[in-house]
Amino acid sequence: MLGNQTLIVLIGTLLLGVASGMVGTFAVLRRRALVGDVVAHSALPGLCLSFLLFHSRSMILLLCGALVSGLLGAVVVALMKRFTRLREDAIQGIVLSVFYGGGIALTRFIQNRYRNEPGSDLESFIIGRAATMLKADVLQIAAVALVTTIIVLVLYKELTLLSFDEQFCRVQGWSTMGLDLTLMLLTAITVVVGLPAVGVVLTAALLIIPPSAARFWTDRLSTMMMIACLFGGASGVVGTLVSANISGLPTGPLIVMTSTVIFIASWLFAPHRGVVWNGNRSRDLDVDPSWLVTESQFADESPADLQIKRGSGM
Amino acid sequence: MIEAEADTPILDVHDMTVAYNRRPVLWNVDLTIRKPGLTAIIGPNGAGKSTMIRSVMGLVPMVSGTVTAWGEEIAKQRHRIGYVPQRGSVDWDFPISVFETVLMGTFGNLGWFRRPGRKQKELASQCLERVGMQDFANRQIGQLSGGQQQRVFLARALAQEAELYFMDEPMAGVDAATERIVFDLLKSLSEEGRTIVVVHHDLRTVPEYFDDVVLLNVRIVASGPVDTTFNSANLQATYGGRLSILDTMAEAVQKQKETE
Amino acid sequence: MSIATVLNKSATLFGAKTPIPFEGLTTKIAELLSMAPTDVQNAFWTIAVGALCATCCALAGCFLVLRRMSLLGDALSHSVLAGMAAVYLVTGGVEPVPMLIGALIAGVMTAVLTQFVHKAANLPEDSSIGIVFTSLFAFGVVVVSQAKHVHLDLDCVLFGDLAFAGVDLRPMMGWLWPHSFQSLVPSLVITLLFLIVFWKELRLTSFDPVLAVTLGFSAGVMHYLLTTVVAIVTVSAMGVVGLLVVALLIVPPATARLLTNRLSTMLWLSCLLGTVATTIGYFLALKWDSSAAGLTAVVAGIELLAAIVFSPLDGLLGRTIRTVRLRTRICAEDVLAGLFRKQERGDADAGVAVSTVQECIELAGNGFLAAGSIRWLKTRQLLDHSGNRVSLTARGYNYGRSLVRSHRLWEAYLHENFDLPHDHLHDPAEAMEHFIGPEIQRQITDELAAPAEDPHGREIPHIER
């Protein structure tokens, strides 16, 4: 039942899911979940420019272009945060939509002008087309997955510290900017590698959903990361298998939908944190009520920027 | 255990001015700590107590001024400096256990890439024991009470094995038991020859526990030994409202810098 | 669908002899420019559709930006597809009214679900937005990709068809109008009604939600009302610009925000900016044979970039100029104060301190602004300059005296209120003297009971009134 092509795609999406789960864990905990989305959307114009420049359908060349402009998008976000008085959410929306708009314009332009050239159908990158993955593509994904895994494991201690308590991290003399840049780079690479399979619009989901689902199952970072990898890989495999067996179904959205199903199931059924579990017992038994009362004491002295934003939403 | 280096002060803050949004919030702070001991920073809400220690440690940029520890830039002495942040500054839902949190204190001396080994883990358990939290080692940090969370932060700072500590309101909103433990701990740290600077809000406990006091309200009103400095005249000057001229000046500076 | 089929379709409708509004005008313009009348007509209606679309989006988007809900706009534009897909699954058709309702429900659902996941599952808000909209969009794409129906077209959702918007004319009320007017005009009406009815509340809750709640307005109700309006706008504009509706929702309002502090100005300015973007975007798309929606977003981005650099309020250029001016003034004032002190020390020739250019530049701090500050002084006739001989004019003398007065008053003030050693008083006063005007001088004099000397025992110079 499994054809050779399906097997290739299967391995590719499996590795992709695992790598995204790993990097995504830190991205989510560091509250950088939507950076992945910005990078993914910003990658599109770079992909097109790379095609215009080299006229090659080599995936690696296209993805290098994508990585450059994806990172550029993230840098623009940082610059705008520094130099304008716009809020971060607006900045993300702006960068995302303007870069994506540029990408759309370029893909359309390329499609109309280079209609007959192979590989000019760059619009496939918007929703992704895993089915056309080649063995070489899978090898590249594998290499990237390996590299990100190694970097994340080597920097595990530092990234944990950064995500948990940035101030303490700085007081201990770590370069938080360097660590944040590394995390951003890892996020960008993972996103860009996922583009051919899952597409510009949905790649961010792979970074966000599996780690969020994993959080329901454990209170340990290391365990959470492993579960996120597991969920990511499982989503990749299931999504690919379903799309291989029902013709015409796009792989990328199916992978995302699988991870959504896993997320909902985790939310409902995970022990301790799940809805079903909590229906039977309250997990707040041993929380001292005093800290609810004293929480307000932190508001007055410290400037707004050091407070972790919780709730509000307004 | 720690030898006082002859003449160089432990901490020397000179002419430190801090501004948010171009508006000065801390004016010309000048502070020198020469001998180890317990120092309290007190002042009304909005006086810039936290801002002061945060900018001394380089967490908030200064407009002007210099900060040195043992005669060198703070950045070069980080391994000798410990920090207890405000409890509200982290996400307590983070998937990490009490023990792992305390272990983080050792990371600074560990350096890049190295994993904490047996030595660090032993140190972390010892620190946890010192604050009486050894029974909670495997709890997720969000499942602790406020006082217990504060003690975990203290244990983490202990694991830094620093000589100079900055603590941001370690007594804010904690239960009586924790307050007792924290004070005993501060006392023993100070007896070991360490220097501890604490942002404090409870005036009653100042004479009982602290050696020195810094009275702060946007600027330093007075600083020195508790016996001589902690008097009603200084307290009146500190808590008796803000200086209207400083406010006017702050506005003038902000406005000039924005719309010259 | 190709241009040809659309043209054919509208041509057949044309045959029914339904009149087209403004046909006379467009024909006249065509004659003036010697172009084909149909081309001008297409352009005219495309611009009109674009303007309408941009206006709707900008009006609703202003409040998204102000209320820090920009990402919700992004999420809405994605999840609307899921609503349409769900309606298709249930009814098997693509009737416009059920589609619209489905899309609306999906839009509001996104807002509700985001809050629900954030609160109930205890996840950070950015993650919950990310989870909700990607999931809904994935569902939408899967369903649409299976749809055999010609009118449920993924391309249209992704890219919109602004380029055809002016071609696709349909009869309505006896005239031929662009088809998208059918959805855009009602959504504009709804948006405007919403603005008029809730103007006071919107303004209040957008600028200060906390105050609004204390005054008794429910920020939550406004939140969901606004979400509904944004969903309506998104659904109607989606057919024209596709997913990039988010660019029109956020970018022009953000640009306007950088250019003004007034809500009413921000509203009309963002409408204008959005309309310019769609218009230029359309023409560029014609020229380069590319996507009008994409280029609209790019043009809007360029507008924003221009605002960041050139905004009179807080633009980078203006800010740099202001900083340079302030620094120059400070350097110049340092020269004046220095010369005054020299004169005061009696180090002067017939009561007037004489100095060299070199010395002045040294007083100004030797920086790259030093030379500029000397010029600053000369143009204001504060400094006499002949050959290498520099001296204060009478005005310069007064100015310098006022500065030194500020300096010493501030030292006295610091000494009184601050715990600072004597030798640490000079530096702060040196920095502050440039910001102390007559008013603050007076306040300090009053508070310190008109001190005659500074803490170092030097006389505080008086100023005749």
Side-chain angles (χ1 to χ4, degrees), chain A residues 137-159:
Chain A
D137 304 337
V138 173
L139 282 178
Q140 284 156 21
I141 293 179
V144 170
L146 194 68
V147 171
T148 49
T149 311
I150 291 171
I151 297 179
V152 168
L153 289 181
V154 165
L155 287 174
Y156 181 79
K157 176 185 79 184
E158 288 81 1
L159 288 174

Side-chain angles (χ1 to χ4, degrees), chain A residues 31 34 37 83 85 87 89-90 92 94 101-102 104-105 108-109 112 126 201-202 205 248 250 260 267 311 314, chain C residues 68-71 78 116 118 126 133-135 137 145-146 159 223 257 261 288-290 294 298 304 313 319:
Chain A
R31 308 281 157 99
L34 292 175
D37 201 30
F83 288 110
R85 56 188 176 142
R87 307 277 175 203
D89 63 322
Q92 283 179 342
I94 289 163
I104 295 281
R108 186 57 65 81
F109 172 77
N112 289 340
I126 291 168
V201 188
L202 288 173
T260 309
W267 189 0
M314 287 288 123
Chain C
R68 309 186 196 172
M69 289 159 57
S70 310
L71 290 173
H78 287 81
F116 181 65
H118 170 51
D126 58 341
F133 88 80
T134 52
S135 301
F137 188 71
S145 72
Q146 288 305 93
F159 315 115
H223 181 92
R257 179 75 192 91
N261 282 326
W288 291 331
D289 192 11
S290 177
V298 173
L304 178 79
L313 282 185
R319 227 194 286 177

Side-chain angles (χ1 to χ4, degrees), chain C residues 9 30 56 134 137 169 232 260 279 296 318 342 384 410 421 424 427:
Chain C
K9 206 160 58 182
C56 293
T134 52
F137 188 71
L169 302 181
I232 293 172
T260 176
T279 309
T296 297
K342 197 173 168 191
D384 251 345
W410 191 248
H424 285 185
D427 290 348

Side-chain angles (χ1 to χ4, degrees), chain A residues 157-158 160-161 164-165 168-169 171-174, chain B residues 78-83 96 98-128 152-162 165:
Chain A
K157 176 185 79 184
E158 288 81 1
T160 311
L161 188 57
F164 174 57
D165 193 344
F168 194 74
C169 185
V171 167
Q172 278 196 338
W174 303 100
Chain B
R78 290 219 182 269
H79 56 284
R80 296 168 80 179
I81 298 171
Y83 177 46
I96 194 171
V98 167
F99 183 75
E100 286 168 320
T101 312
V102 177
L103 202 55
M104 282 183 176
T106 66
F107 288 1
N109 292 328
L110 215 49
W112 288 98
F113 310 130
R114 278 183 56 206
R115 291 301 179 82
R118 224 183 63 206
K119 206 176 119 215
Q120 282 76 23
K121 285 182 178 154
E122 267 168 25
L123 175 65
S125 337
Q126 278 167 20
C127 296
L128 213 46
V152 172
F153 266 8
L154 269 168
R156 184 178 68 171
L158 286 181
Q160 286 185 275
E161 296 194 300
Y165 280 102

Side-chain angles (χ1 to χ4, degrees), chain C residues 332-334 336-337 341 398-408 433-434 441:
Chain C
E333 291 185 346
D334 283 341
L336 289 179
R341 286 202 181 89
N398 282 338
Y399 198 141
R401 184 173 53 186
S402 172
L403 281 168
V404 171
R405 176 173 165 77
S406 298
H407 181 102
R408 293 187 183 154
E433 63 184 21
H434 308 287
Q441 281 186 3

Side-chain angles (χ1 to χ4, degrees), chain A residues 297-311:
Chain A
Q297 251 177 308
F298 297 100
D300 51 4
E301 167 97 3
S302 42
D305 63 334
L306 83 118
Q307 299 273 329
I308 301 252
K309 277 190 212 100
R310 324 157 132 199

Side-chain angles (χ1 to χ4, degrees), chain A residues 93-106, chain C residues 54 158-159 162 241-252 255 273-282 284-285 291-305:
Chain A
I94 289 163
V95 173
L96 186 149
S97 57
V98 171
F99 272 75
Y100 181 62
I104 295 281
L106 281 169
Chain C
L158 288 176
F159 315 115
L162 180 55
V241 287
L243 267 191
L244 281 162
V245 61
V246 62
L248 282 179
L249 274 174
I250 303 175
V251 186
T255 314
L273 288 165
T275 306
V276 170
T278 47
T279 309
I280 298 181
Y282 163 67
L284 288 181
S291 152
L295 287 164
T296 297
V298 173
V299 174
I302 293 170
E303 286 174 358
L304 178 79
L305 188 67

Side-chain angles (χ1 to χ4, degrees), chain A residues 2-271:
Chain A
L2 276 183
N4 202 11
Q5 176 61 23
T6 315
L7 198 64
I8 290 174
V9 177
L10 205 59
I11 296 171
T13 49
L14 171 75
L15 289 173
L16 182 66
V18 171
S20 320
M22 187 166 260
V23 175
T25 302
F26 282 117
V28 165
L29 288 175
R30 179 83 183 113
R31 308 281 157 99
R32 295 280 194 273
L34 292 175
V35 170
D37 201 30
V38 174
V39 170
H41 283 79
S42 314
L44 193 55
L47 203 101
C48 300
L49 286 177
S50 166
F51 177 84
L52 282 177
L53 222 59
F54 301 110
H55 286 281
S56 142
R57 59 183 309 183
S58 147
M59 198 60 90
I60 199 102
L61 272 179
L62 290 180
L63 292 190
C64 281
L67 183 64
V68 170
S69 78
L71 283 174
L72 184 70
V75 169
V76 170
V77 169
L79 284 178
M80 279 174 72
K81 236 167 35 182
R82 169 81 181 71
F83 288 110
T84 72
R85 56 188 176 142
L86 295 171
R87 307 277 175 203
E88 182 166 16
D89 63 322
I91 294 175
Q92 283 179 342
I94 289 163
V95 173
L96 186 149
S97 57
V98 171
F99 272 75
Y100 181 62
I104 295 281
L106 281 169
T107 48
R108 186 57 65 81
F109 172 77
I110 289 170
Q111 209 161 35
N112 289 340
R113 175 159 300 191
Y114 303 98
R115 210 180 297 270
N116 302 322
E117 207 167 306
S120 70
D121 182 21
L122 294 172
E123 273 177 18
S124 67
F125 280 95
I126 291 168
I127 297 299
R129 191 176 289 165
T132 56
M133 244 189 227
L134 302 175
K135 206 167 169 188
D137 304 337
V138 173
L139 282 178
Q140 284 156 21
I141 293 179
V144 170
L146 194 68
V147 171
T148 49
T149 311
I150 291 171
I151 297 179
V152 168
L153 289 181
V154 165
L155 287 174
Y156 181 79
K157 176 185 79 184
E158 288 81 1
L159 288 174
T160 311
L161 188 57
L162 174 80
S163 319
F164 174 57
D165 193 344
E166 188 205 336
Q167 287 181 45
F168 194 74
C169 185
R170 271 163 71 187
V171 167
Q172 278 196 338
W174 303 100
S175 158
T176 47
M177 198 163 81
L179 284 170
D180 264 332
L181 278 176
T182 313
L183 185 57
M184 195 175 87
L185 193 68
L186 288 175
T187 314
I189 293 176
T190 320
V191 163
V192 165
V193 167
L195 289 183
V198 192
V200 164
V201 188
L202 288 173
T203 307
L206 278 189
L207 283 174
I208 305 174
I209 303 180
S212 299
R215 183 68 186 87
F216 288 112
W217 295 88
T218 174
D219 276 337
R220 287 285 177 282
L221 181 57
S222 46
T223 323
M224 173 179 165
M225 201 186 238
M226 280 186 264
I227 298 179
C229 291
L230 183 75
F231 284 172
S235 307
V237 170
V238 174
T240 310
L241 285 180
V242 172
S243 86
N245 286 309
I246 304 175
S247 74
L249 278 182
T251 316
L254 277 177
I255 295 176
V256 176
M257 278 179 76
T258 313
S259 67
T260 309
V261 171
I262 294 177
F263 175 80
I264 295 172
S266 305
W267 189 0
L268 290 176
F269 303 117

